Amino acid sequence: MTGSPWRFAIHPCDTHNERLVTNVHPPDWRPPTPEPMYNLVVIGAGTAGLISAVGCAALGGKVALVERHLMGGDCLNVGCVPSKCLIRSSRAAGEMAAARFGLTPHPAAPSDFPAVMERLRRLRAGISQNDSARRYSEMGVHVFFGEAAFAGRNTVTVGDLRLSFKKAIIAVGARAVRPDIPGLDQAGFLTNETVFNLTELPRRLVVIGGGPIGCELAQAFRRLGSEVTIVQHTRFLPQEDPEASALLARVFAREGIRVVPDARPVCVEKTDSGRLVTVRTGEGEQILEADEILIGAGRQPNLEGLDLEKAGVAYDPRRGIRVDDFLRTTNAAIFAAGDVCMDWKFTHAADAAARIAVQNALFRGRKRLSALNMPWCTYTDPEIAHVGLSAAEAQARGMAIDTYKAPMDEVDRAIADGETEGFVQVLAKKGTDRIVGATIVAAHAGDLISEITVAMAGNLGLKTLADVIHPYPTQAEAVRRVAAAYNRTRLTPRVAALLKWWLKWQR
């Protein structure tokens, strides 16, 4: 694995990582003999690419899948899977250090960081069989490893091989942005592509960027014992409800995460004892000491080497491949899905987009990306989940809304769990029960948001949710409480007077 041509390498070279690579980029893989013509050629074997390829193969089509790095993409190798393994360990460490459960707190520092990372590698390797080259080959997908490049409007080359296609889907994903900070490259830094290679806990960690990746990993490393400083030029999670961001900021402050707001890095210097990060704020410059620097400053599309011009595919180097609402590129035979072309840079968004792209590409479908109700979640503690419109977006559209809210500290199960920070907030079109958006801040917000997403997808309003029986006690009761708050608005003074008269007449 050392000296790999991939844009990120998997370290350390232990049995777990050997198993991972054997599954998702077998060193001895022999490419199949190409078909004269494929129904579909898919470039990129991340979530969008895997779903596209297996969708075509399952329907009897001839499909080729090309991957230059590791099958499973960022999600399996350097994203969702390893980050959630790390976060789970850090949450356990945080609970052991908390006094709110009536138990003697365990020291905040972890006892064995290498063991935490060994667990991460072991679990990732186990999951990797789901995305393995052998598994997809057995499902009828022709798997090719190498650099894909377009040689024309209907042809892709992979090394010396030429793959001709009726349709193609580009699903090459995105990577971490490397900010242009003087001295950063020389000093060295981590991104999500390299942070999971660590085997020793950094004593001092500076995180540049307060987006989802920066916030999740900052809290995880703090709970595992690092001294963490976040450098952020805006508020945390700027795409989220301001109240949710402010709540998370208070949690971070309580947990000892230092935040340098309204700040931009000026330069980085490597020293014998670590790294010095100079940042500029409204009050002048200050120097931060770090053993490691983690960059969480956004994503950029992987477009290099594809020769998109030869295929007539238009793109923007920063925003990615240009697609319409049907995920069709400027070449009618080529579609794109996932991080390479979408603002929603989530695994589940790539999955949903791939299904749209396959239907539209192979069966002349008319599925639209804009028709999706896309939820997302940032896996801090508490989690922050969202679906639909925010209040600001509704206002920008000129939509009048009613807001219904239930605080988690009024939910019995949240009180029993010691997880009372947060709320469920639902926006409805004014005067109706039609849900147009929701934000949940709670320990299990990512799970709770699904009930509201289903309601929105099925055109079910708050009245229906109020009629749903929720097991007691669960934290999902907060959703029922929000729906009940809507029901109470239906009891107008006139209706109340009529009911009072009726009950009096019945006596």
Side-chain angles (χ1 to χ4, degrees):
M1 286 172 284
T2 302
S4 161
W6 307 327
R7 63 182 169 88
F8 54 81
I10 300 295
H11 296 293
C13 188
D14 64 359
T15 57
H16 305 310
N17 282 341
E18 290 286 357
R19 181 185 178 195
L20 170 72
V21 172
T22 298
N23 280 332
V24 298
H25 194 138
D28 58 351
W29 186 257
R30 293 185 178 181
T33 301
E35 294 283 339
M37 178 64 68
Y38 284 99
N39 295 104
L40 183 67
V41 168
V42 181
I43 304 175
T47 298
L50 293 174
I51 293 296
S52 298
V54 77
C56 178
L59 297 171
K62 297 294 184 179
V63 56
L65 176 64
V66 185
E67 173 55 48
R68 59 180 170 179
H69 301 311
L70 306 176
M71 291 183 66
D74 276 21
C75 180
L76 169 67
N77 299 291
V78 295
C80 307
V81 170
S83 68
K84 300 314 166 282
C85 292
L86 184 70
I87 287 169
R88 183 63 187 93
S89 293
S90 73
R91 183 171 286 198
E95 290 177 343
M96 286 190 292
R100 67 181 185 271
F101 298 108
L103 304 173
T104 302
H106 187 278
S111 58
D112 195 347
F113 181 77
V116 168
M117 301 306 286
E118 188 273 338
R119 172 184 179 272
L120 179 158
R121 297 191 299 273
R122 172 169 49 84
L123 297 181
R124 178 176 61 181
I127 293 172
S128 70
Q129 62 187 355
N130 297 326
D131 296 343
S132 69
R134 178 167 284 101
R135 179 170 183 258
Y136 274 78
S137 179
E138 290 172 351
M139 290 191 290
V141 177
H142 280 194
V143 178
F144 298 88
F145 288 102
E147 298 280 348
F150 286 97
R153 296 184 66 86
N154 294 90
T155 307
V156 167
T157 63
V158 186
D160 296 331
L161 301 176
R162 295 177 68 88
L163 310 178
S164 299
F165 59 82
K166 290 293 185 179
K167 301 291 182 181
I169 294 176
I170 303 171
V172 293
R175 64 184 182 275
V177 168
R178 267 71 167 176
D180 185 16
I181 303 172
L184 182 62
D185 288 340
Q186 293 77 8
F189 60 94
L190 301 168
T191 68
N192 72 290
E193 296 164 0
T194 54
V195 68
F196 304 113
N197 292 339
L198 290 176
T199 56
E200 294 184 7
L201 181 73
R203 184 171 65 85
R204 301 164 301 177
L205 177 68
V206 169
V207 179
I208 297 177
I213 293 174
C215 286
E216 288 180 1
L217 294 181
Q219 187 180 44
F221 274 92
R222 175 59 189 150
R223 289 181 166 189
L224 291 170
S226 295
E227 299 173 9
V228 177
T229 302
I230 299 178
V231 177
Q232 173 68 353
H233 67 275
T234 63
R235 65 179 173 89
F236 288 145
L237 305 176
Q239 81 279 17
E240 298 291 357
D241 182 284
E243 186 178 356
S245 298
L247 190 154
L248 184 63
R250 292 194 297 271
V251 170
F252 278 12
R254 187 180 68 233
E255 295 190 0
I257 298 173
R258 180 188 176 196
V259 178
V260 184
D262 303 320
R264 294 184 181 275
V266 175
C267 64
V268 177
E269 178 185 354
K270 187 172 178 59
T271 68
D272 292 339
S273 61
R275 297 159 177 83
L276 300 178
V277 183
T278 301
V279 298
R280 181 175 295 128
T281 71
E283 299 177 354
E285 292 186 355
Q286 56 179 289
I287 297 176
L288 308 175
E289 296 182 344
D291 296 296
E292 294 286 356
I293 301 169
L294 174 65
I295 303 296
R299 310 281 289 168
Q300 66 183 70
N302 295 318
L303 301 174
E304 296 78 5
L306 289 174
D307 290 341
L308 295 171
E309 295 84 357
K310 294 181 181 179
V313 173
Y315 65 93
D316 179 276
R318 294 183 63 85
R319 295 189 60 83
I321 292 174
R322 188 189 308 165
V323 294
D324 61 17
D325 204 19
F326 305 104
L327 293 175
R328 182 175 50 204
T329 72
T330 49
N331 178 338
I334 300 176
F335 291 68
D339 290 6
V340 74
C341 64
M342 293 159 49
D343 291 334
W344 292 325
K345 299 194 187 306
F346 315 116
T347 294
H348 53 281
D351 183 315
R355 298 172 193 275
I356 290 174
V358 167
Q359 291 181 61
N360 291 348
L362 300 181
F363 303 103
R364 301 181 182 180
R366 303 294 290 173
K367 297 286 186 178
R368 292 180 178 271
L369 187 68
S370 61
L372 298 177
N373 288 305
M374 185 59 62
W376 65 77
C377 183
T378 299
Y379 296 94
T380 50
D381 184 14
E383 297 175 353
I384 300 177
H386 177 82
V387 66
L389 300 178
S390 66
E393 289 169 334
Q395 184 178 15
R397 296 187 183 191
M399 179 187 295
I401 58 172
D402 292 318
T403 302
Y404 303 97
K405 186 174 180 180
M408 295 304 295
D409 62 7
E410 295 180 1
V411 177
D412 292 356
R413 179 59 183 270
I415 294 170
D417 289 342
E419 297 170 342
T420 56
E421 287 181 299
F423 55 85
V424 173
Q425 179 175 280
V426 174
L427 309 181
K429 187 175 180 181
K430 193 168 186 64
T432 76
D433 75 334
R434 185 168 76 85
I435 302 168
V436 298
T439 295
I440 300 179
V441 183
H444 309 286
D447 296 318
L448 298 181
I449 199 71
S450 293
E451 181 175 0
I452 297 174
T453 306
V454 168
M456 293 177 67
N459 292 315
L460 305 175
L462 286 169
K463 183 178 181 299
T464 300
L465 286 183
D467 292 337
V468 173
I469 300 173
H470 292 73
Y472 178 88
T474 62
Q475 295 194 22
E477 186 187 354
V479 177
R480 185 192 64 79
R481 284 174 171 264
V482 166
Y486 162 76
N487 266 355
R488 288 193 293 273
T489 67
R490 301 168 65 199
L491 189 65
T492 64
R494 182 172 181 273
V495 171
L498 287 173
L499 292 175
K500 184 177 180 180
W501 173 83
W502 171 259
L503 291 171
K504 181 178 179 180
W505 183 77
Q506 287 288 307
R507 290 199 294 269

